[in-house]
DNA sequence: GTGAAAGCGCTAACAG
DNA sequence: CTGTTAGCGCTTTCAC
């Protein structure tokens, strides 16, 4: 597997390395005959340009890094798939970096430039840089959250929370519980925004979200299960529960069922995400499309890489309520 | 963000570039005082080595590529997380390549060397190379499947299928249905092996898996849902169903419930994976740990990268049956 | 349309 | 312990 170099191809084709370089990259200024000869030689030798050499010489890396807070969630996987799809189409490599602990997140958030040495551009999932100044030579896009300084693509989380709340309110519920994400959610405003949306909906009918009707489920199924158990143990349990992710909602359903309640008869549950199992399990939920967000973000990056400059752009993904069988009139 | 080069750091620290190179990489043969001075200068200048230059000069890329058949499944996400964790610990980048269509899979499977130009090593998820010859200079590890030619780490799928089958048989079931993966599963033997395990268990009590008790669910929740509906529409529906993934099992549960059946009373269901929601939803399943597989595979790669040579090694992950509430005596 | 030559920024002997 | 000196393989002016 010794590397076949451009020199060998040049020699075999009887041309200079410069010509080989042009020919294999499809650049102009190569006669059809020469190009054919070069391509043939390259093929016979199984020549593959060394990406590192190319990038070094060309002054760019051909790699974009995607930094994610966690890798094994439905949301992350979807977003990655979306990013990967458009990047692959552009011949760019996707490198994934996990920022699992908050110290590594802090580091990237305050100094995204650290990653600049490893790639041409950066996509941040649910993370927004604080002190970093935009630099036209190092495009950064924020997916899943909003940023004033960088390109970003996100959903309207307040609206998402609101439609969930309105749905519940519309069904006559006034005592609604909230299963929020993680308490130490410092870098994403998601929990906060969705909560605000819910509160707005409740306020519309003169109800407020009680302090002790909020529990945290850490965006996991198990977390949602435990959170629901807590909720049900309260003196005056809610008649409806809004979980900020489908995983948590499903856990909540389980808890309610085990407690002998039937859904939606005894308690209504709304989730957020619309991941595949939600359909299958009949969960009413606020649907979003993280793969679409990722794809849109990657596209913005590509534009920047192609020289597009200008003010930070902002795109928004859709959210909509999908009514299934986990909610009902009280 | 013009690149700060090693020369500038060298000049500022009053040493040669070679010394800077050693110092920043933590190599020996640099006096503490000098190292300190260099690091300081580097810090002030915000120097970051150009990865492409480093890789080119060093003759290696510091990148390993992981090729996956799909990116947005629980299994893949878990495996990626495992790989990423150990690679990150070794300062190696993880680049992900999606091989979504079978032609791209074909290409990689028959010529993994194509990816060799982009990385130091390759981890293949559920894909095993056919014609490619191992090359000590380009380590390849297969995760999730077995290979004679390469290092591999997998689970005993036959055993997994067997314990699921034995569990069902032990509960008195003899008419069991199978929800298998995708029909066009050419490159992974997973479906085949688990099926064989089930058949062995059934054979133990003189029963055989009937042809028309097998349907395909494409490893998705929706697929499992539809597959279960098919199964239930048959003349003599099974009293127990083994789904080759939890996603499909959960879909199957939904289908059965909708059909007015209660689980496990009317029909028992066993899944495979033990992903988080399975616990939450009380699914009896064959547990496996793809993150562990990924981590083990990455470790093997690291060993190879450090010069370990020798025959292909083979590691196995555990599988075990977790009994919950979706199965019962007939 | 094609070639010669000068690097891209860094690492790795080899001296000292 | 530190500096010198070749390249790594490719791209890119600038001549021809």
């Amino acid at each position: 597997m010794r590397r076949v170099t451009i020199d060998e191809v040049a020699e075999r084709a009887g041309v200079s390395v410069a010509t080989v370089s042009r020919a294999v990259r499809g650049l102009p200024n190569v006669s059809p005959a020469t190009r054919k000869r070069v391509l043939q030689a390259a093929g016979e030798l199984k020549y593959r340009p060394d990406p590192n050499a190319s990038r070094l010489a060309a002054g760019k890396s051909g790699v974009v890094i995607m930094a994610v807070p966690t890798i094994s969630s439905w949301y992350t996987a979807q977003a990655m798939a979306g990013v990967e799809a458009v990047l692959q189409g552009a011949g760019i490599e996707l490198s994934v970096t996990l920022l699992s602990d908050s110290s590594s997140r802090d580091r990237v958030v305050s100094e995204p430039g650290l990653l600049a040495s490893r790639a041409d551009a950066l996509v941040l999932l649910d993370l927004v840089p604080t002190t970093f100044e935009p630099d036209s030579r190092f495009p950064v896009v924020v997916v899943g959250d909003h940023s004033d300084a960088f390109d970003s693509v996100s959903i309207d989380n307040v609206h998402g929370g609101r439609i969930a709340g309105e749905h519940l309110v519309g069904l006559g519920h006034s005592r609604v519980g909230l299963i929020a994400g993680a308490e130490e959610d410092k870098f994403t405003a998601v929990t906060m925004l969705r909560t605000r949306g819910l509160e707005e909906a409740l306020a519309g009918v003169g109800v407020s979200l009680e302090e002790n009707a909020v529990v945290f489920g850490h965006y996991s199924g198990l977390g949602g299960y435990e959170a629901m158990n807590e909720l049900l143990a309260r003196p005056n349990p809610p008649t409806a529960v809004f979980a900020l992710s489908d995983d948590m909602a499903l856990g909540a359903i389980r808890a309610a069922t085990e407690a002998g309640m039937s859904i939606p008869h005894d308690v209504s549950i709304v989730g957020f995400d619309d991941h595949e199992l939600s359909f299958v399990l009949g969960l009413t939920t606020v649907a979003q499309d993280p793969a679409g967000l990722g794809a849109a973000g990657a596209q913005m990056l590509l534009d920047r890489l192609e020289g597009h400059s200008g003010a930070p752009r902002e795109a928004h993904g859709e959210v909509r309520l999908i009514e299934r069988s986990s909610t009902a009139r009280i």
Side-chain angles (χ1 to χ4, degrees), chain A residues 81-328:
Chain A
V83 169
E84 153 78 18
V86 355
L87 254 29
Q88 192 157 75
I92 290 179
E93 260 179 70
L94 205 220
S95 226
V96 178
T97 288
L98 216 206
L99 269 23
S100 48
D101 54 298
S102 63
S103 74
S104 63
R105 274 198 292 269
D106 277 330
R107 215 167 346 101
V108 169
V109 156
S110 63
E111 185 56 46
L114 292 181
L115 296 175
S117 58
R118 288 168 39 192
D120 289 337
L122 176 62
V123 13
L124 255 21
L125 184 65
D126 280 13
L127 257 23
V128 9
T130 51
T131 66
F132 186 61
E133 253 176 69
D135 180 317
S136 62
R137 278 154 302 184
F138 186 63
V140 173
V141 62
V142 174
V143 172
D145 206 335
H146 166 74
S147 164
D148 289 321
F150 300 92
D151 286 344
S152 67
V153 23
S154 55
I155 57 171
D156 185 338
N157 281 296
V158 174
H159 183 241
R162 192 188 305 121
I163 58 181
E166 284 169 352
H167 173 64
L168 260 14
V169 160
L171 290 172
H173 295 276
S174 61
R175 225 160 56 243
V176 359
L178 173 68
I179 299 183
E183 234 164 336
E184 43 91 33
D185 241 346
K186 289 190 235 118
F187 301 107
T188 126
V190 171
T191 291
M192 215 187 66
L193 297 173
R194 292 181 190 169
T195 302
R196 184 189 307 162
L198 173 65
E199 290 177 324
E200 289 181 11
L202 293 178
V205 293
V207 175
S208 70
L209 182 64
E210 286 163 45
E211 178 81 32
N212 77 347
V214 180
V215 287
F216 293 85
H218 311 282
Y219 289 117
S220 77
L222 182 53
Y225 174 83
E226 291 168 346
M228 187 64 175
N229 276 143
E230 261 187 71
L231 240 27
L232 295 178
R234 308 276 218 235
N236 210 345
T239 61
V241 170
F242 177 30
L244 263 26
S245 82
D246 282 359
D247 282 324
M248 296 193 292
L250 266 13
I253 289 180
R254 171 71 176 176
T257 307
E258 278 186 1
M261 310 179 80
S262 105
I263 291 170
H265 188 257
D266 298 322
V267 59
S268 284
I269 295 186
V270 179
F272 204 115
D273 274 347
D274 192 32
H275 84 202
E276 201 201 40
L277 288 174
S278 305
F279 162 74
V280 150
L281 301 174
L283 177 68
T284 292
T285 192
V286 179
Q288 67 166 330
D289 173 23
L293 297 189
Q299 191 53 59
M300 285 180 169
L301 228 43
L302 252 31
D303 289 351
R304 294 286 184 189
L305 253 13
E306 280 165 7
H308 172 94
S309 61
R313 287 184 299 178
E314 197 178 336
H316 291 283
E318 299 266 306
V319 293
R320 68 181 203 288
L321 186 81
I322 300 196
E323 263 188 80
R324 288 198 274 244
S325 51
S326 66
T327 49

Side-chain angles (χ1 to χ4, degrees), chain A residues 21-68:
Chain A
S21 178
R22 293 181 192 113
V24 301
R25 282 183 301 155
L27 298 184
N29 293 331
V30 182
S31 74
T34 307
R35 187 183 303 274
K36 181 162 176 259
R37 200 145 34 85
V38 171
L39 260 23
Q40 159 118 29
E44 291 168 359
L45 261 25
K46 297 197 174 184
Y47 167 69
R48 318 247 132 228
D50 179 325
N52 294 122
S54 304
R55 291 165 186 166
L56 175 56
K60 44 186 168 187
S61 75
V63 171
V64 350
I65 292 191
M66 179 167 182
V68 302

